[in-house]
């Protein structure tokens, strides 16, 4: 079974631009969560989608948004990019909504660099 | 939020057991203890999780103290491929299940 895939793997943008990242979960998985990883803040939860609805959200500004499609694929969008948005963006999938008793499966991430 | 404390780094020799400690003194009764690891240039990878009893799987063992205020991830025979950052995470029983990562322990494995 194929794992979580994320595209693109690397991206370079300039300040003020917007960016869209894509995540395809493991086949059959219906929940997708997004995380941001930076050297300073570590791994931080962005949001979680299940059945095309945002179910949970971390403490990030409104410039960060996402959506999920009927085939469970998810996209996240960052508008008006800032230098501090440079990070590794990770997507994780799980069969149903993530619960404390089960695991999540992560993709390889998209490395975003903002110049 | 309940927090975890882990050593910043540890070293091990190849083919020897490794015990990675984690303190979580403010753990609540419904908090699961999860371990993930992140190999260089990869996303985190699930290792193991438990609630009260010790757990074993093909990757590792999880030993949970009787008072649940600490736990230890045990790699029975470290390989070079086990060099990674290991995260001990409390996945709250009452939360929506999102993972709250700390800084983790960077494990180096020497041949």
């Amino acid at each position: 079974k194929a794992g979580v895939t994320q595209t693109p793997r690397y991206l370079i943008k300039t300040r003020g631009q917007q960016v869209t990242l894509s995540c395809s979960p493991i086949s059959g998985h219906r929940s997708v969560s997004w995380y941001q990883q930076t050297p300073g803040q570590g791994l931080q939860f962005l949001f979680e989608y299940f059945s095309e609805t945002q179910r949970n959200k971390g403490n990030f500004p409104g410039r960060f948004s996402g959506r999920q499609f009927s085939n469970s694929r998810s996209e996240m969008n960052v508008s008006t990019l800032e230098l501090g948005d440079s990070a590794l963006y990770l997507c994780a999938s799980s069969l149903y909504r993530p619960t404390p008793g089960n695991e999540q499966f992560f993709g390889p991430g998209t490395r975003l660099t903002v110049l | 939020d309940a927090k975890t404390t882990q050593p910043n780094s540890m070293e091990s020799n190849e083919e020897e057991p490794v015990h990675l400690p984690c303190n979580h003194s403010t753990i609540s009764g419904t908090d699961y203890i999860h371990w993930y690891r992140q190999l260089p240039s990869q996303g985190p990878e699930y290792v193991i999780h438990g609630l009260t009893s010790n757990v074993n799987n093909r990757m590792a063992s999880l030993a949970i103290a009787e008072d649940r205020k600490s736990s230890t991830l045990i790699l029975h025979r470290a390989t070079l491929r086990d060099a990674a950052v290991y995260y001990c995470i409390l996945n709250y029983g009452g939360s929506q299940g999102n993972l709250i990562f700390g800084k983790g322990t960077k494990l180096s494995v020497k041949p």
Side-chain angles (χ1 to χ4, degrees):
Chain A
K1 189 186 275 192
V4 177
T5 57
Q6 294 187 244
T7 56
R9 292 292 311 278
Y10 301 91
L11 205 48
I12 299 175
K13 293 284 188 179
T14 57
R15 276 183 301 174
Q17 287 187 309
Q18 75 165 20
V19 68
T20 299
L21 312 181
S22 180
C23 171
S24 293
I26 291 172
S27 177
H29 283 197
R30 294 169 57 192
S31 172
V32 172
S33 298
W34 288 89
Y35 290 81
Q36 180 197 64
Q37 185 172 27
T38 60
Q41 298 298 318
L43 275 147
Q44 294 184 288
F45 171 73
L46 279 156
F47 28 64
E48 178 231 334
Y49 285 87
F50 179 78
S51 292
E52 303 176 62
T53 303
Q54 188 181 92
R55 303 295 180 136
N56 195 10
K57 188 176 188 305
N59 189 24
F60 278 82
R63 299 185 297 107
F64 291 82
S65 63
R67 59 179 175 166
Q68 186 180 36
F69 302 95
S70 58
N71 61 358
S72 295
R73 189 177 70 87
S74 177
E75 289 181 347
M76 68 163 281
N77 184 279
V78 188
S79 62
T80 319
L81 284 166
E82 301 177 358
L83 294 179
D85 296 333
S86 294
L88 181 67
Y89 289 89
L90 292 154
C91 160
S93 79
S94 55
L95 193 57
Y96 299 109
R97 292 215 50 212
T99 64
N102 59 33
E103 66 266 32
Q104 297 182 43
F105 298 86
F106 283 81
T110 294
R111 172 75 63 187
L112 172 65
T113 302
V114 182
L115 304 176
Chain B
D1 289 349
K3 290 192 182 339
T4 62
T5 304
Q6 300 178 252
N8 291 333
S9 62
M10 290 184 64
E11 269 191 1
S12 171
N13 294 317
E14 197 176 11
E15 298 190 5
E16 289 185 356
V18 182
H19 291 233
L20 296 161
C22 181
N23 287 318
H24 28 77
S25 58
T26 59
I27 192 170
S28 76
T30 55
D31 289 340
Y32 282 78
I33 302 158
H34 283 240
W35 285 82
Y36 281 75
R37 70 180 185 181
Q38 189 171 20
L39 279 64
S41 303
Q42 294 188 28
E45 174 187 32
Y46 167 80
V47 177
I48 200 167
H49 76 277
L51 183 61
T52 55
S53 305
N54 295 344
V55 185
N56 299 296
N57 66 20
R58 65 174 180 82
M59 286 181 71
S61 295
L62 176 60
I64 301 173
E66 200 168 322
D67 63 4
R68 300 186 73 235
K69 294 183 184 301
S70 65
S71 61
T72 302
L73 178 70
I74 302 165
L75 306 178
H76 295 288
R77 287 185 65 195
T79 68
L80 297 178
R81 194 195 172 276
D82 291 322
V85 177
Y86 286 78
Y87 297 98
C88 168
I89 302 165
L90 295 186
N91 208 333
Y92 311 127
S95 80
Q96 301 296 316
N98 56 284
L99 300 169
I100 300 178
F101 289 82
K103 297 195 180 303
T105 296
K106 184 173 182 179
L107 175 67
S108 303
V109 180
K110 296 184 289 184

